[in-house]
Each structure stands twice: as C-alpha cells, then as structure tokens.
Amino acid sequence: FYGMPAYVDEIEARLRKVTVEEVNAAIRKYLDPDNWDAVIVTNNARELAETLRSDAPSPKTYSSQVSEQVQTDDKTIQALPVKPTAVEIVPIEQAFQK
C-alpha cells in the first residue's frame, strides 16, 4: 500500500543491515541470562521437560546440509548450561493466559 515495500521484504532488508555488534549490544541491554522465561510448543512436552530438568546436552540435528561453522557453533551452544529453576507443562490454550 501507498508505495511501501512488502512487510517481509522490508524486515529482511533491515535485518541484513544489522551488525553482530548491534545484536550483541541489544542482547546485553535487554536480556538478563539469570532472569528469563521461555515458551516452547511441542508434541513431546513431558520428554522435553525431563531433558531440561536434567540439563543434559541435546545435540541439534538438521534435515539438510549445514556448514562446518554452524556445526562448530552448535557444539559451543550445546555445552551451555540451561539449569531451569522451573519447568511447567501447560495446555496450549493456557500458554499465554498469565
């Protein structure tokens, strides 16, 4: 509308201009690694909850080829502790009610 680019195209163009330094600065400013909540929607909620509670590594798998760099980065990320203080299984209908 009004001669503006499509929303998805506009977002993609803007994201391409963001630097790693800008992303890291935003993370440091807005995210607190000691105080955050996550919502995960999955078919296997109980199995995922047990994995999270155990803080066991969960290797990433892909259905297509990925670069060696991605695989190396995945191993670094996989080693990070999650250590949740609480894991709650909630029916999807209630997930955003709080």
Side-chain angles (χ1 to χ4, degrees), residues 23-97:
V23 171
N24 287 334
I27 288 170
R28 283 190 295 278
K29 182 175 181 178
Y30 295 108
L31 298 181
D32 178 357
D34 296 322
N35 184 23
W36 60 279
D37 294 325
V39 175
I40 302 170
V41 178
T42 181
N43 288 335
N44 267 334
R46 295 200 191 294
E47 182 179 329
L48 176 60
E50 289 307 313
T51 299
L52 291 171
R53 287 183 186 114
S54 74
D55 202 27
S58 53
K60 175 72 175 133
T61 58
Y62 295 93
S63 58
S64 60
Q65 288 292 109
V66 296
S67 71
E68 285 291 325
Q69 184 62 52
V70 168
Q71 293 176 37
T72 299
D73 291 346
D74 284 347
K75 288 177 183 172
T76 301
I77 294 166
Q78 175 185 319
L80 297 173
V82 176
K83 297 181 184 174
T85 55
V87 176
E88 182 180 359
I89 299 174
V90 179
I92 189 65
E93 299 81 14
Q94 299 171 14
F96 298 100
Q97 297 294 317

